[in-house]
Each structure stands twice: as structure tokens, then as C-alpha cells.
Amino acid sequence: MASASPEPAATETGDSVKIRRLEIADRERGFLPLLSQLSSCPDLTESEFAACFANLAALGDDHVILVAEDPAAAPERRILSTGCLFVERKFLRGGGKTAKDAGCYKVILDCTPELRAYYAKCGFVEKGVQMAVYF
Amino acid sequence: MASASPEPAATETGDSVKIRRLEIADRERGFLPLLSQLSSCPDLTESEFAACFANLAALGDDHVILVAEDPAAAPERRILSTGCLFVERKFLRGGGKTAKDAGCYKVILDCTPELRAYYAKCGFVEKGVQMAVYF
């Protein structure tokens, strides 16, 4: 998940980690090897990556992939972590959406049980369980 | 959540429940009172509802609200349940997406612990915890 720490995250050198939207050049900054820590992630050619990126970009500002960039690794701009942000459209709460700056009333995320304490420090509380089915 | 039962869901009269995309006329079929069972859901005027509906429709087929319609309540077409379906864009698994018919490799959902057994019957397994922060 993208960092959402109560304090700005910092590297060992004390520099603040920069969280920003995925750029097409992140293919060269370790984005795919990072994803391979989460699940199967075969390499994508430059054109396959560009096609995925274009599909994502077409969805606008309510469905974005964020990355945390290591300031200590400049000029390589290595990617430390990543996460996906959806803004869900709702009819309840007067047509509310689900991040504060976007006019949303809550943020939810799914994580492994080991990360409960980390997200609790960020103000999150446990609300339910995540279920999955794979094809 | 929208029904995703291993067998087609049926009402007390044995008719199959119909799952379909939200229609603008569902405002008159009990959609908002249904949502009020989940969270605060002040009434929306016809034009407010239409504006929310238009915002949602503009997002295309990868972000939709589904409803389950009670066939026993025809011609009123009362809404029994509802859920939101996102198709998440990913770069892992060769640019995989997250419902089978849409070329996705998995479906995930969040629910209360009491619903674990229901979703297990549908083939889901517990994968993590859901955390939330409210503004």
C-alpha cells in the first residue's frame, strides 16, 4: 500500500518520501520488480506497459496508482512502495464519496493482519474482513 | 453487498432474484431507504439523484452499482439489495484486472465477520482485514 503515515515518512537519511502519481517512466525505476513482491508480475514490454498506463490514465482522477519515491536514490528516483486509490461514487450521505480532499467522508483499505497496528497509528480502525476468490 | 450466491438466489415464492445495473428509476423502488440500513442516507431530490447517477454513468462499465430486484414484487420492481463493482486496473499478472467475465483474475470484497460463512459458500476465502478512517 502507499504510505499514509501520521508523520511524513522518512528514509534512513532523513529525507521525506515523496508520494506521487505513477509516471510512465516508472517502468525503469523498479515498479514491476516491486509489484512482484506482492503477486506474479511478469515483465511487460515498453509498449505493453504503455498500453496499461493509457488504460489507467483514461479513467481520470478517481482511479489512480500512487508511488512513494526514495529521495535518497536520486537521480534514479527508485520506487519504494505503491498503492491504488479509488474514489467510490455513492448515493448515501447525500451522494458522498469514499478521500477527504476529494470531498469524501471515509477512506478504507485492506491489509494483512500484521499491518493492523501500523494503520491504527494512521487513525484507521478495523471494520471488517476481506474475502477473495481467485479464478 | 450484491448477491453472489453459488446458486441463483430465490425469494420465498421461488422466483429467481434478478441482478442488474442500477437504473435512474430505482429512486422510486426503495433504493435510498435500502441504503439507509447501511449508513446515513438523507433523501435526495429527483435532480440530486439524477446528478449522482450521471456522475456514475460517466465512469463506464468498470465502476457500477448493481441491485437485486425482487421478482415477487412486480410490477413495483422493489430493490432487495445492492453493491458496488469496481474493476481495478493492475500492472501485475501481465496487466490483469480484478471479475472473471471482464478478464479479471480475482474478486475481492469486504464484509462484516458474520458474513464470512455466507461468502465462503460462494467460494471466497478470508484474505485480510478491512481498516477505515472517517472524517
Side-chain angles (χ1 to χ4, degrees):
Chain A
M1 293 298 302
S3 172
S5 172
E7 303 293 334
T11 62
E12 287 176 8
T13 59
D15 300 320
S16 289
V17 168
K18 179 182 177 188
I19 296 178
R20 60 164 174 78
R21 209 156 159 163
L22 182 74
E23 298 172 359
I24 198 161
D26 290 332
R27 180 174 174 275
E28 310 303 323
R29 298 177 187 137
F31 181 64
L32 295 175
L34 178 71
L35 291 180
S36 70
Q37 295 175 31
L38 296 171
S39 188
S40 163
C41 188
D43 196 24
L44 297 173
T45 66
E46 203 170 314
S47 65
E48 288 168 339
F49 192 93
C52 285
F53 190 87
N55 282 336
L56 181 70
L59 299 174
D61 293 338
D62 283 0
H63 183 156
V64 298
I65 292 179
L66 300 172
V67 298
E69 187 179 305
D70 181 1
E76 296 85 359
R77 301 178 59 192
R78 189 168 57 97
I79 305 305
L80 292 172
S81 63
T82 183
C84 180
L85 174 71
F86 280 129
V87 179
E88 181 182 351
R89 299 286 169 172
K90 288 176 175 280
F91 285 78
L92 44 68
R93 294 184 181 240
K97 296 190 273 184
T98 312
K100 193 173 184 181
D101 293 343
C104 301
Y105 69 92
K106 70 173 177 179
V107 170
I108 59 173
L109 60 81
D110 292 336
C111 63
T112 57
E114 298 77 37
L115 289 172
R116 274 192 198 101
Y118 172 78
Y119 286 114
K121 281 195 234 168
C122 307
F124 285 78
V125 294
E126 188 168 348
K127 291 295 287 185
V129 295
Q130 181 206 29
M131 308 287 288
V133 60
Y134 290 77
F135 307 122
Chain B
M1 294 297 302
S3 170
S5 173
E7 303 292 334
T11 61
E12 286 177 8
T13 58
D15 299 321
S16 289
V17 168
K18 179 181 176 188
I19 296 179
R20 60 164 173 79
R21 210 156 159 163
L22 182 74
E23 298 171 358
I24 199 161
D26 289 331
R27 180 175 174 274
E28 310 304 324
R29 297 177 188 137
F31 181 64
L32 295 175
L34 177 70
L35 290 181
S36 71
Q37 296 176 29
L38 295 171
S39 189
S40 162
C41 188
D43 196 24
L44 297 173
T45 66
E46 203 169 316
S47 64
E48 288 168 339
F49 192 93
C52 285
F53 190 88
N55 283 337
L56 181 70
L59 299 174
D61 293 338
D62 283 359
H63 184 155
V64 298
I65 292 179
L66 300 172
V67 297
E69 187 179 303
D70 182 0
E76 296 84 359
R77 301 179 57 193
R78 188 167 58 97
I79 305 304
L80 293 172
S81 63
T82 183
C84 179
L85 174 70
F86 280 129
V87 178
E88 180 182 352
R89 299 286 169 172
K90 288 176 175 279
F91 286 77
L92 44 69
R93 294 184 181 241
K97 295 190 273 185
T98 309
K100 194 172 184 181
D101 293 343
C104 301
Y105 69 92
K106 70 174 177 180
V107 169
I108 59 174
L109 60 82
D110 292 336
C111 63
T112 57
E114 298 77 39
L115 289 172
R116 274 193 198 100
Y118 172 77
Y119 286 115
K121 282 195 234 168
C122 308
F124 286 77
V125 294
E126 188 168 348
K127 291 295 287 184
V129 296
Q130 182 206 27
M131 308 287 288
V133 61
Y134 289 77
F135 306 122

